[in-house]
């Protein structure tokens, strides 16, 4: 990528709140805000559903292998795209890789804890609790980057906590009612949920740490979207392979358990598709920010939580109760209030008087 191309990428499309560009001709599909938003939502739902399909198998316990396959597929996909000139990213540099490795390690922890949480929790509950990461990131920005939490943002945080409490109550109530009609004991059902919540909270903290530290590092390295994707996947692969070989059972019996003959092909295809959707998430996120604005992207992220949560009710046997549906809409409302709070905060910042040059 030349300096001029880089400069244009940095200045021409960074914010969607600047003056509109001339409309000399109809914009191509790649510049369509509507297409980018629907593409991002579709990729997000597809990745969550495919991961849940693989992890919800009765005996699947090779999470590191799944993540390694996803990273390999993602790396192969962007390498092929680069060879055809579709995308571009910087060449491998050992010094940059050494500095970026801690971030890749955090990414591995984040994705691993996410997969473990999905293994024990339903998609709606997982999506609702994922909102708590926003609170951690917001206060992390206050500490590290001098950010601010507005009263409206604080209200959204309170709604997020309330939605998580309602979701947990609905989840535990459903587990207890299910165990009453099956051979599972109440203690076993609650213990399984507790494991899911522990993984979920670990995921929230690791996700916040990953986002905050990566933001700091990107400012120092000037990485672009595909540079970040390239190094994250490349450096994650050896960590995941070693972790899988050391921590997971590679015996023939366990492989048979994880990949039973009747569902083996579907499971392998789902693992590959989930790897491709990780490319889709990364690309459509950058695409959405580029053709809209950071505030629009924030709003889309909030609105997207509703269809992602509902996909769990549609594609999987997540219980549909008054409390579970209430928790989903409270989580959706919390994300919406937070997005509006960020928009108002951005307007207030841009309306502040500046010194004339």
């Amino acid at each position: 990528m030349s300096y001029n191309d880089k400069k244009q990428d940095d200045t021409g499309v960074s914010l969607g709140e600047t003056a509109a560009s001339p409309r000399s001709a109809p914009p191509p599909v790649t510049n369509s805000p509507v297409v980018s938003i629907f593409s991002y939502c579709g990729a997000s739902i597809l990745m969550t559903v495919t991961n849940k399909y693989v992890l919800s198998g009765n005996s699947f316990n090779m999470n590191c292998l799944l993540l390694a396959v996803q990273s390999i597929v993602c790396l192969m996909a962007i390498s092929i795209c680069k060879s055809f000139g579709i995308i571009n990213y910087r060449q491998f540099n050992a010094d940059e890789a050494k500095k970026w490795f801690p971030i890749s390690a955090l990414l591995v922890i984040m994705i691993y804890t996410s997969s473990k949480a999905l293994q024990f929790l339903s998609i709606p509950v997982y999506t609702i609790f994922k909102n708590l990461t926003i609170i951690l990131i917001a206060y992390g920005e206050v500490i590290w980057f001098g950010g601010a939490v507005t009263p409206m943002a604080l209200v959204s945080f309170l709604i997020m906590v309330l939605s998580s409490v309602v979701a947990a109550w609905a989840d535990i109530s459903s587990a207890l009612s299910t165990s009453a009609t099956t051979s599972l004991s109440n203690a076993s059902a609650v213990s399984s949920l507790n494991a899911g919540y522990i993984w979920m909270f670990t995921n929230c903290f690791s996700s916040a740490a990953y986002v905050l530290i990566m933001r700091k590092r990107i400012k120092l390295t000037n990485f672009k979207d595909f540079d970040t994707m390239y190094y994250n996947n490349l450096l994650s692969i050896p960590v995941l392979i070693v972790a899988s070989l050391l921590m997971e059972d590679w015996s023939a019996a366990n492989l048979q358990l994880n990949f039973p003959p009747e569902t083996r092909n579907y499971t392998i295809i789902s693992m590959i598709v989930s790897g491709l959707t990780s490319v889709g998430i990364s690309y459509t996120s950058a695409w959405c920010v580029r053709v809209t604005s950071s505030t629009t992207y924030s709003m889309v992220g909030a609105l997207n939580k509703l269809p992602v949560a509902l996909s769990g009710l549609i594609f999987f046997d997540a219980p549909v109760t008054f409390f579970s549906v209430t928790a989903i809409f409270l989580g959706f409302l919390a994300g919406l209030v937070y997005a509006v709070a960020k928009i108002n905060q951005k307007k207030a910042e841009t309306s502040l008087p500046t010194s004339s040059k």
Side-chain angles (χ1 to χ4, degrees):
M1 181 181 291
S2 67
Y3 173 77
N4 290 333
D5 291 338
K6 176 180 173 295
K7 186 175 180 183
Q8 182 181 358
D9 182 57
D10 285 344
T11 59
V13 294
S14 59
L15 287 175
E17 295 159 354
T18 56
S21 57
R23 297 181 180 177
S24 56
V29 173
T30 53
N31 289 332
S32 170
V34 176
V35 175
S36 71
I37 288 170
F38 276 101
S39 298
Y40 168 70
C41 292
S44 179
I45 293 170
L46 184 59
M47 185 172 187
T48 304
V49 170
T50 51
N51 278 347
K52 180 64 178 176
Y53 175 81
V54 176
L55 296 166
S56 62
N58 292 331
S59 306
F60 194 87
N61 54 32
M62 303 186 73
N63 298 65
C64 289
L65 174 62
L66 169 64
L67 301 179
V69 170
Q70 289 178 342
S71 293
I72 291 169
V73 170
C74 185
L75 187 62
M76 288 176 61
I78 63 174
S79 298
I80 292 170
C81 289
K82 183 181 181 181
S83 66
F84 281 98
I86 301 172
I87 63 172
N88 193 26
Y89 51 84
R90 62 182 71 187
Q91 295 295 322
F92 178 79
N93 181 284
D95 185 54
E96 288 179 339
K98 192 183 299 182
K99 293 175 180 176
W100 195 262
F101 183 78
I103 298 172
S104 294
L106 271 174
L107 177 65
V108 170
I109 295 171
M110 182 187 80
I111 300 176
Y112 179 78
T113 53
S114 172
S115 66
K116 293 297 289 186
L118 268 176
Q119 196 167 346
F120 293 102
L121 301 176
S122 65
I123 289 179
V125 173
Y126 169 84
T127 306
I128 292 163
F129 271 87
K130 193 71 176 172
N131 268 343
L132 299 179
T133 306
I134 297 175
I135 303 176
L136 297 174
I137 292 173
Y139 282 101
E141 287 184 339
V142 170
I143 297 169
W144 283 10
F145 302 105
V149 176
T150 63
M152 184 176 282
L154 189 60
V155 170
S156 74
F157 296 162
L158 294 174
I159 300 174
M160 287 176 196
V161 173
L162 177 62
S163 69
S164 301
V165 171
V166 174
W169 174 259
D171 219 20
I172 293 171
S173 299
S174 174
L176 293 177
S177 62
T178 302
S179 64
T181 58
T182 62
S183 58
L184 290 173
S185 65
N186 288 351
S188 176
V190 174
S191 175
S192 178
L193 286 178
N194 286 340
Y197 295 138
I198 291 171
W199 284 116
M200 189 71 251
F201 284 119
T202 307
N203 175 254
C204 289
F205 280 100
S206 60
S207 298
Y210 168 73
V211 170
L212 293 168
I213 294 173
M214 183 174 67
R215 178 181 169 184
K216 209 165 191 177
R217 177 56 62 183
I218 283 177
K219 287 184 176 181
L220 298 175
T221 59
N222 199 29
F223 270 20
K224 299 302 176 188
D225 297 315
F226 286 111
D227 298 328
T228 301
M229 196 191 308
Y230 171 68
Y231 274 99
N232 274 343
N233 285 282
L234 181 66
L235 298 176
S236 297
I237 290 169
V239 176
L240 290 167
I241 291 176
V242 170
S244 180
L245 291 173
L246 293 178
M247 297 167 53
E248 295 176 340
D249 185 2
W250 279 79
S251 65
N254 193 54
L255 288 174
Q256 182 80 2
L257 203 63
N258 282 272
F259 301 96
E262 59 272 15
T263 59
R264 182 174 300 161
N265 291 338
Y266 292 109
T267 302
I268 293 172
I269 291 171
S270 297
M271 292 170 74
I272 294 171
V273 170
S274 65
L276 292 174
T277 54
S278 68
V279 182
I281 283 287
S282 299
Y283 177 76
T284 54
S285 298
W287 181 18
C288 192
V289 171
R290 179 177 64 82
V291 301
T292 58
S293 69
S294 55
T295 50
T296 302
Y297 176 72
S298 175
M299 182 69 79
V300 171
L303 297 174
N304 192 42
K305 293 188 182 302
L306 182 61
V308 169
L310 291 178
S311 69
L313 302 179
I314 296 170
F315 295 109
F316 299 95
D317 57 350
V320 182
T321 65
F322 171 77
F323 287 109
S324 65
V325 174
T326 301
I328 290 173
F329 279 97
L330 280 174
F332 169 71
L333 177 64
L336 196 58
V337 172
Y338 179 74
V340 173
K342 295 300 287 184
I343 291 172
N344 291 340
Q345 186 178 1
K346 192 76 176 178
K347 286 180 180 178
E349 290 172 357
T350 54
S351 65
L352 290 175
T354 56
S355 58
S356 58
K357 295 183 180 179

